[in-house]
Amino acid sequence: MEKEQIVSIKEITANPAPLGLIAFGMTTVLLNIHNAGFIGLDAMILAMGIFFGGMAQVIAGIMEFKKNNTFGTTAFTSYGFFWLSLVGLNILPLMGIGEAPNALSMAAFLFMWGLFTMFMFVGTLRINKALQVVFGSLTILFFLLAIGKFTGSALILVIAGYEGIFCGLSAMYAAMAQVLNEVYGKTLLPIGEYSPLKSSTREKTNNEEIVYNKA
């Protein structure tokens, strides 16, 4: 005779989302300060793209994989490699590897990332408001950059720069809210949590996961 057995498993791994969000946010702000026309595209931005925006997000994505978070794994790993790809587009031609991308190819590159981000935004509707702002503004950013590259409009690229600064700051807020809320054990910075529907096989409550097994 079968019976249901409830096994309580205490979560013992840290939340990797703040690492991925702060890496994305800080790098996005710096790049878009450049897009807005305040600074040049120098080694500072490229280094941030490789080591923080790129590698740190990939690490966060791997950590999300271990926590069985498909959304986090897909998002952080993808955007980590986006930053590495973007740096590669800038430095590979200087190393004699391939031709520098033209405006049309960059528009296609940015458009595809905008399309991907739009689908990821739909996923945030079941997570929290803070991520909805991050992914919603990021979708707009990618499409603005794609349009700017396609049309050659400097004005659109500058507008995208300011919008991108907002996007990056929103990601930084989402990251620091999770860190400070956990440290203080209460909501200091609200992120608009979504209350998911209970699954028939698995439910997560705070830091505890309850798994239903057949005995």
PDB file of all heavy atoms in Angstrom, residues 52-63 76-81 84:
ATOM      1  N   PHE A  52      33.146  41.012 -14.810  1.00  0.00           N
ATOM      2  CA  PHE A  52      32.008  41.154 -13.887  1.00  0.00           C
ATOM      3  C   PHE A  52      30.694  40.913 -14.614  1.00  0.00           C
ATOM      4  O   PHE A  52      29.951  39.992 -14.275  1.00  0.00           O
ATOM      5  CB  PHE A  52      32.032  42.538 -13.225  1.00  0.00           C
ATOM      6  CG  PHE A  52      31.266  42.587 -11.925  1.00  0.00           C
ATOM      7  CD1 PHE A  52      31.318  41.541 -11.019  1.00  0.00           C
ATOM      8  CD2 PHE A  52      30.502  43.691 -11.599  1.00  0.00           C
ATOM      9  CE1 PHE A  52      30.613  41.581  -9.821  1.00  0.00           C
ATOM     10  CE2 PHE A  52      29.790  43.752 -10.400  1.00  0.00           C
ATOM     11  CZ  PHE A  52      29.847  42.699  -9.515  1.00  0.00           C
ATOM     12  N   GLY A  53      30.413  41.701 -15.628  1.00  0.00           N
ATOM     13  CA  GLY A  53      29.188  41.474 -16.390  1.00  0.00           C
ATOM     14  C   GLY A  53      29.166  40.109 -17.041  1.00  0.00           C
ATOM     15  O   GLY A  53      28.116  39.475 -17.146  1.00  0.00           O
ATOM     16  N   GLY A  54      30.321  39.624 -17.478  1.00  0.00           N
ATOM     17  CA  GLY A  54      30.386  38.329 -18.143  1.00  0.00           C
ATOM     18  C   GLY A  54      30.579  37.159 -17.201  1.00  0.00           C
ATOM     19  O   GLY A  54      29.660  36.374 -16.969  1.00  0.00           O
ATOM     20  N   MET A  55      31.769  37.044 -16.619  1.00  0.00           N
ATOM     21  CA  MET A  55      32.111  35.865 -15.826  1.00  0.00           C
ATOM     22  C   MET A  55      31.262  35.738 -14.568  1.00  0.00           C
ATOM     23  O   MET A  55      30.833  34.634 -14.209  1.00  0.00           O
ATOM     24  CB  MET A  55      33.602  35.905 -15.479  1.00  0.00           C
ATOM     25  CG  MET A  55      34.502  35.750 -16.699  1.00  0.00           C
ATOM     26  SD  MET A  55      36.270  35.910 -16.300  1.00  0.00           S
ATOM     27  CE  MET A  55      36.497  34.523 -15.206  1.00  0.00           C
ATOM     28  N   ALA A  56      30.999  36.854 -13.881  1.00  0.00           N
ATOM     29  CA  ALA A  56      30.228  36.771 -12.638  1.00  0.00           C
ATOM     30  C   ALA A  56      28.805  36.287 -12.909  1.00  0.00           C
ATOM     31  O   ALA A  56      28.243  35.518 -12.126  1.00  0.00           O
ATOM     32  CB  ALA A  56      30.198  38.128 -11.942  1.00  0.00           C
ATOM     33  N   GLN A  57      28.220  36.709 -14.022  1.00  0.00           N
ATOM     34  CA  GLN A  57      26.867  36.256 -14.338  1.00  0.00           C
ATOM     35  C   GLN A  57      26.845  34.780 -14.732  1.00  0.00           C
ATOM     36  O   GLN A  57      25.890  34.068 -14.402  1.00  0.00           O
ATOM     37  CB  GLN A  57      26.268  37.099 -15.462  1.00  0.00           C
ATOM     38  CG  GLN A  57      25.762  38.436 -14.988  1.00  0.00           C
ATOM     39  CD  GLN A  57      24.773  39.049 -15.951  1.00  0.00           C
ATOM     40  OE1 GLN A  57      23.580  38.837 -15.860  1.00  0.00           O
ATOM     41  NE2 GLN A  57      25.306  39.813 -16.895  1.00  0.00           N
ATOM     42  N   VAL A  58      27.853  34.331 -15.436  1.00  0.00           N
ATOM     43  CA  VAL A  58      27.923  32.907 -15.777  1.00  0.00           C
ATOM     44  C   VAL A  58      28.035  32.073 -14.498  1.00  0.00           C
ATOM     45  O   VAL A  58      27.372  31.039 -14.349  1.00  0.00           O
ATOM     46  CB  VAL A  58      29.109  32.623 -16.717  1.00  0.00           C
ATOM     47  CG1 VAL A  58      29.306  31.116 -16.899  1.00  0.00           C
ATOM     48  CG2 VAL A  58      28.873  33.274 -18.080  1.00  0.00           C
ATOM     49  N   ILE A  59      28.854  32.527 -13.560  1.00  0.00           N
ATOM     50  CA  ILE A  59      28.976  31.826 -12.274  1.00  0.00           C
ATOM     51  C   ILE A  59      27.627  31.808 -11.558  1.00  0.00           C
ATOM     52  O   ILE A  59      27.203  30.780 -11.014  1.00  0.00           O
ATOM     53  CB  ILE A  59      30.052  32.491 -11.400  1.00  0.00           C
ATOM     54  CG1 ILE A  59      31.442  32.274 -12.012  1.00  0.00           C
ATOM     55  CG2 ILE A  59      30.005  31.953  -9.968  1.00  0.00           C
ATOM     56  CD1 ILE A  59      32.547  33.064 -11.342  1.00  0.00           C
ATOM     57  N   ALA A  60      26.928  32.949 -11.555  1.00  0.00           N
ATOM     58  CA  ALA A  60      25.606  33.012 -10.926  1.00  0.00           C
ATOM     59  C   ALA A  60      24.633  32.053 -11.606  1.00  0.00           C
ATOM     60  O   ALA A  60      23.814  31.403 -10.942  1.00  0.00           O
ATOM     61  CB  ALA A  60      25.063  34.440 -10.977  1.00  0.00           C
ATOM     62  N   GLY A  61      24.728  31.950 -12.923  1.00  0.00           N
ATOM     63  CA  GLY A  61      23.862  31.028 -13.655  1.00  0.00           C
ATOM     64  C   GLY A  61      24.120  29.578 -13.284  1.00  0.00           C
ATOM     65  O   GLY A  61      23.175  28.786 -13.141  1.00  0.00           O
ATOM     66  N   ILE A  62      25.384  29.217 -13.107  1.00  0.00           N
ATOM     67  CA  ILE A  62      25.733  27.858 -12.690  1.00  0.00           C
ATOM     68  C   ILE A  62      25.208  27.588 -11.278  1.00  0.00           C
ATOM     69  O   ILE A  62      24.700  26.498 -10.978  1.00  0.00           O
ATOM     70  CB  ILE A  62      27.260  27.657 -12.753  1.00  0.00           C
ATOM     71  CG1 ILE A  62      27.731  27.730 -14.210  1.00  0.00           C
ATOM     72  CG2 ILE A  62      27.657  26.317 -12.131  1.00  0.00           C
ATOM     73  CD1 ILE A  62      29.241  27.755 -14.364  1.00  0.00           C
ATOM     74  N   MET A  63      25.294  28.576 -10.429  1.00  0.00           N
ATOM     75  CA  MET A  63      24.771  28.432  -9.060  1.00  0.00           C
ATOM     76  C   MET A  63      23.245  28.280  -9.072  1.00  0.00           C
ATOM     77  O   MET A  63      22.688  27.506  -8.293  1.00  0.00           O
ATOM     78  CB  MET A  63      25.176  29.638  -8.218  1.00  0.00           C
ATOM     79  CG  MET A  63      26.673  29.739  -7.965  1.00  0.00           C
ATOM     80  SD  MET A  63      27.170  31.339  -7.255  1.00  0.00           S
ATOM     81  CE  MET A  63      26.431  31.212  -5.622  1.00  0.00           C
ATOM     82  N   PHE A  76      20.957  34.390 -16.273  1.00  0.00           N
ATOM     83  CA  PHE A  76      22.306  34.813 -15.912  1.00  0.00           C
ATOM     84  C   PHE A  76      23.368  34.235 -16.839  1.00  0.00           C
ATOM     85  O   PHE A  76      24.314  34.937 -17.218  1.00  0.00           O
ATOM     86  CB  PHE A  76      22.605  34.443 -14.459  1.00  0.00           C
ATOM     87  CG  PHE A  76      21.816  35.247 -13.465  1.00  0.00           C
ATOM     88  CD1 PHE A  76      21.179  34.625 -12.399  1.00  0.00           C
ATOM     89  CD2 PHE A  76      21.715  36.614 -13.581  1.00  0.00           C
ATOM     90  CE1 PHE A  76      20.440  35.362 -11.487  1.00  0.00           C
ATOM     91  CE2 PHE A  76      20.980  37.362 -12.673  1.00  0.00           C
ATOM     92  CZ  PHE A  76      20.341  36.729 -11.624  1.00  0.00           C
ATOM     93  N   THR A  77      23.223  32.976 -17.215  1.00  0.00           N
ATOM     94  CA  THR A  77      24.210  32.386 -18.124  1.00  0.00           C
ATOM     95  C   THR A  77      24.159  33.069 -19.485  1.00  0.00           C
ATOM     96  O   THR A  77      25.201  33.388 -20.080  1.00  0.00           O
ATOM     97  CB  THR A  77      23.963  30.873 -18.287  1.00  0.00           C
ATOM     98  OG1 THR A  77      23.917  30.257 -16.999  1.00  0.00           O
ATOM     99  CG2 THR A  77      25.080  30.232 -19.092  1.00  0.00           C
ATOM    100  N   SER A  78      22.953  33.313 -19.981  1.00  0.00           N
ATOM    101  CA  SER A  78      22.809  33.946 -21.295  1.00  0.00           C
ATOM    102  C   SER A  78      23.375  35.354 -21.302  1.00  0.00           C
ATOM    103  O   SER A  78      24.164  35.718 -22.190  1.00  0.00           O
ATOM    104  CB  SER A  78      21.335  33.982 -21.705  1.00  0.00           C
ATOM    105  OG  SER A  78      20.819  32.685 -21.873  1.00  0.00           O
ATOM    106  N   TYR A  79      22.996  36.171 -20.329  1.00  0.00           N
ATOM    107  CA  TYR A  79      23.475  37.554 -20.320  1.00  0.00           C
ATOM    108  C   TYR A  79      24.955  37.641 -19.966  1.00  0.00           C
ATOM    109  O   TYR A  79      25.636  38.593 -20.387  1.00  0.00           O
ATOM    110  CB  TYR A  79      22.629  38.406 -19.373  1.00  0.00           C
ATOM    111  CG  TYR A  79      21.217  38.596 -19.866  1.00  0.00           C
ATOM    112  CD1 TYR A  79      20.131  38.121 -19.133  1.00  0.00           C
ATOM    113  CD2 TYR A  79      20.958  39.214 -21.090  1.00  0.00           C
ATOM    114  CE1 TYR A  79      18.836  38.275 -19.603  1.00  0.00           C
ATOM    115  CE2 TYR A  79      19.668  39.369 -21.565  1.00  0.00           C
ATOM    116  CZ  TYR A  79      18.608  38.893 -20.816  1.00  0.00           C
ATOM    117  OH  TYR A  79      17.325  39.030 -21.281  1.00  0.00           O
ATOM    118  N   GLY A  80      25.457  36.663 -19.224  1.00  0.00           N
ATOM    119  CA  GLY A  80      26.897  36.625 -18.996  1.00  0.00           C
ATOM    120  C   GLY A  80      27.650  36.436 -20.297  1.00  0.00           C
ATOM    121  O   GLY A  80      28.624  37.150 -20.589  1.00  0.00           O
ATOM    122  N   PHE A  81      27.176  35.509 -21.113  1.00  0.00           N
ATOM    123  CA  PHE A  81      27.833  35.290 -22.402  1.00  0.00           C
ATOM    124  C   PHE A  81      27.512  36.396 -23.401  1.00  0.00           C
ATOM    125  O   PHE A  81      28.265  36.617 -24.349  1.00  0.00           O
ATOM    126  CB  PHE A  81      27.460  33.914 -22.958  1.00  0.00           C
ATOM    127  CG  PHE A  81      28.222  32.788 -22.310  1.00  0.00           C
ATOM    128  CD1 PHE A  81      27.582  31.862 -21.514  1.00  0.00           C
ATOM    129  CD2 PHE A  81      29.597  32.682 -22.479  1.00  0.00           C
ATOM    130  CE1 PHE A  81      28.289  30.832 -20.902  1.00  0.00           C
ATOM    131  CE2 PHE A  81      30.319  31.663 -21.881  1.00  0.00           C
ATOM    132  CZ  PHE A  81      29.660  30.732 -21.082  1.00  0.00           C
ATOM    133  N   LEU A  84      30.316  38.796 -22.755  1.00  0.00           N
ATOM    134  CA  LEU A  84      31.556  38.280 -23.333  1.00  0.00           C
ATOM    135  C   LEU A  84      31.536  38.392 -24.857  1.00  0.00           C
ATOM    136  O   LEU A  84      32.542  38.723 -25.493  1.00  0.00           O
ATOM    137  CB  LEU A  84      31.760  36.828 -22.903  1.00  0.00           C
ATOM    138  CG  LEU A  84      32.008  36.612 -21.403  1.00  0.00           C
ATOM    139  CD1 LEU A  84      32.037  35.123 -21.071  1.00  0.00           C
ATOM    140  CD2 LEU A  84      33.308  37.277 -20.971  1.00  0.00           C
TER     141      LEU A  84
END
